[in-house]
Amino acid sequence: MDVVIAEIGGTVGDIESLPFLEAIRQLRLELGWKNTLFVHVTLVPFIATAGELKTKPTQHSVKELRSIGIQPDILLCRTERPLTHEVKAKIAMFCSVAEEAVITARDVDTIYQVPLALAEEKLDEQILRRLDLPVGPADLRPWRELLHRIRNPADTVRIGVVGKYVQLTDSYKSLNEALVHGGLAHNLRTEVAWIESEGVEGENWEAQLQDLDGILVPGGFGKRGIPGMLNAIRYARERKIPFFGICLGMQCAVIEFARNVCGLGDANSTEFNPGTPHRVIYKLRELLGVDELGGTMRLGAWPCKLEKDSWAHKAFGELEISERHRHRYEFNREYEETLVAHGLRLTGATPDGTYVEIVELADHPWFLGCQFHPEFASTPFRPHPLVVAYIAATKRQRERGN
């Protein structure tokens, strides 16, 4: 490892970020100037009524940083207009940085254009020279090819994400980008329809799910919106629409199957109804009674063994994987025999068999729920295998005609 990148979010001056800013101030003293580099992201707004870019927000932000002992080395100036030579010179003068270290970070139509845009400003070369690292020609062909695929897709697939927090789409930012990555693997544009799960109830709720190539139910906590999620899952199961359930989505798929296929009408999760007679999803005994103590979530990477020839096995191409988790409730193996007898496949589990990680339906074009979060491990050049497989299924659905 040559370089560690640490990001500190928030706004300079806010109390929340002060301990972290103090930490990097001390870090420079410990590691030395040649081994640390401060890059500060600032705003240079364009005032339409005045017809000019204003540098005061950047000047003031740098002033706040310097007041706590941090002098930025490079300024990334967010702006909707290119910074002229005069504007860069003014910022450099009043912020005590070299003019070439004032970088235009202009708004772009996709985040995946940012590396190319910053390379045009020679940000990468400046960082390498400043850290006394070798400066060679940058191979940006993969980024250019990626950008070409984004702007020139062969087709579009439309996926309905039925979730609890869709009014704030940043809640599902990682998921949205993972779906984009999966689409790019097939040279497809992924169009996401954000569907509020509480709205998938009452009269004519099915109308929201028409003309979709796939349905996805993401993670979440609490009982709000669960009936709508169950309706969406049943719709996908009965109409053979590719379905992907993640974390809570996988748990809801088990509940829906138990109720409507196995005849366990009151099946539920103890998270939603602690007194349910059929707790197909529950909190494991070792976590009972520790709600007030914290540490009740299964977090981080856990190994998982896959069943041969399952959808998951075909996607990963191997029989043992490791995936990241963030949840409290688990599949209850006391109901395994009943659920499996009615057609539910348990195709992934921890090596010791304690935790069920993946469920699938055999008599369906593509129906899979996983307890882990594949979106946490997706990148544009290494999309998650399950997301790639799911997008392929939605493409086949589109070709068949949804």
Side-chain angles (χ1 to χ4, degrees):
M1 182 181 297
D2 297 311
V3 178
V4 174
I5 300 176
E7 178 185 5
I8 299 176
T11 302
V12 175
D14 286 352
I15 192 172
E16 294 90 349
S17 61
L18 283 176
F20 303 99
L21 293 174
E22 173 61 16
I24 65 170
R25 186 192 69 81
Q26 294 183 25
L27 195 66
R28 166 157 286 183
L29 295 176
E30 294 175 8
L31 299 180
W33 184 81
K34 288 187 177 181
N35 293 312
T36 54
L37 176 70
F38 294 147
V39 180
H40 184 38
V41 180
T42 71
L43 177 66
V44 181
F46 177 77
I47 307 301
T49 52
E52 62 179 348
L53 293 163
K54 291 294 185 181
T55 64
K56 278 297 181 186
T58 292
Q59 293 180 49
H60 183 74
S61 183
V62 172
K63 173 178 173 289
E64 287 290 314
L65 262 185
R66 295 172 72 181
S67 72
I68 58 175
I70 296 174
Q71 168 63 50
D73 302 297
I74 295 175
L75 297 178
L76 283 185
C77 300
R78 289 294 308 272
T79 178
E80 60 182 86
R81 303 288 181 94
L83 300 186
T84 64
H85 167 72
E86 291 76 17
V87 170
K88 285 189 174 185
K90 182 179 180 181
I91 292 173
M93 172 67 72
F94 290 105
C95 296
S96 297
V97 299
E99 188 175 328
E100 61 267 21
V102 180
I103 304 296
T104 299
R106 190 176 178 182
D107 294 349
V108 290
D109 57 0
T110 170
I111 192 174
Y112 301 108
Q113 188 182 345
V114 170
L116 295 171
L118 296 181
E120 290 177 5
E121 291 278 308
K122 301 190 182 304
L123 173 63
D124 50 346
E125 294 181 15
Q126 288 197 55
I127 292 173
L128 291 171
R129 282 198 299 268
R130 171 65 175 71
L131 295 175
D132 198 23
L133 294 171
V135 180
D139 183 7
L140 295 173
R141 286 175 300 173
W143 285 105
R144 293 191 182 96
E145 292 168 1
L146 179 74
L147 199 59
H148 178 78
R149 278 183 283 143
I150 290 173
R151 291 174 172 166
N152 301 277
D155 201 352
T156 299
V157 290
R158 190 162 187 264
I159 295 172
V161 175
V162 182
K164 303 160 69 101
Y165 320 119
V166 297
Q167 292 181 350
L168 183 63
T169 53
D170 267 7
S171 299
Y172 300 115
K173 181 62 175 174
S174 296
L175 175 61
N176 184 69
E177 296 307 315
L179 291 172
V180 170
H181 303 160
L184 290 173
H186 300 285
N187 198 24
L188 295 171
R189 176 176 175 266
T190 307
E191 178 184 320
V192 177
W194 300 102
I195 301 171
E196 171 59 56
S197 59
E198 284 188 294
V200 190
E201 302 177 47
E203 295 182 6
N204 201 32
W205 58 262
E206 296 96 336
Q208 300 177 73
L209 305 179
Q210 294 175 358
D211 301 320
L212 295 176
D213 303 310
I215 293 174
L216 188 151
V217 175
F221 295 92
K223 64 182 181 180
R224 182 181 68 82
I226 297 301
M229 292 182 179
L230 297 177
N231 283 339
I233 294 168
R234 183 172 187 173
Y235 184 94
R237 178 178 58 80
E238 293 181 343
R239 304 201 182 197
K240 307 295 184 183
I241 297 172
F243 170 77
F244 196 2
I246 296 175
C247 195
L248 176 64
M250 175 263 206
Q251 297 173 6
C252 287
V254 172
I255 294 169
E256 190 280 326
F257 190 85
R259 289 183 182 181
N260 299 315
V261 178
C262 302
L264 304 176
D266 295 322
N268 215 327
S269 166
T270 55
E271 179 182 10
F272 315 138
N273 179 11
T276 177
H278 298 296
R279 46 180 201 161
V280 292
I281 303 294
Y282 75 138
K283 189 184 290 186
L284 289 181
R285 290 180 179 84
E286 61 261 31
L287 295 180
L288 293 177
V290 293
D291 300 82
E292 304 302 322
L293 302 179
T296 61
M297 298 184 76
R298 184 153 69 97
L299 297 168
W302 286 68
C304 172
K305 285 193 171 183
L306 305 178
E307 290 294 322
K308 191 173 182 181
D309 296 327
S310 61
W311 286 115
H313 175 221
K314 292 174 183 176
F316 283 99
E318 50 190 303
L319 290 173
E320 185 157 348
I321 59 174
S322 178
E323 293 290 334
R324 292 172 60 183
H325 297 68
R326 189 176 184 274
H327 66 280
R328 288 189 179 89
Y329 293 81
E330 306 284 353
F331 179 95
N332 187 349
R333 279 195 176 264
E334 293 176 6
Y335 288 88
E336 177 178 351
E337 184 177 347
T338 299
L339 294 167
V340 169
H342 284 81
L344 190 70
R345 298 184 66 200
L346 310 185
T347 60
T350 51
D352 62 4
T354 301
Y355 301 106
V356 172
E357 298 279 17
I358 303 174
V359 299
E360 302 179 13
L361 288 183
D363 60 340
H364 195 281
W366 206 91
F367 189 107
L368 183 146
C370 59
Q371 187 61 80
F372 49 83
H373 287 267
E375 70 272 26
F376 291 171
S378 181
T379 72
F381 299 114
R382 288 196 306 168
H384 194 278
L386 285 184
V387 180
V388 173
Y390 174 61
I391 296 294
T394 64
K395 180 185 178 184
R396 293 191 295 270
Q397 176 74 11
R398 185 172 188 81
E399 291 168 349
R400 285 193 299 268
N402 51 26

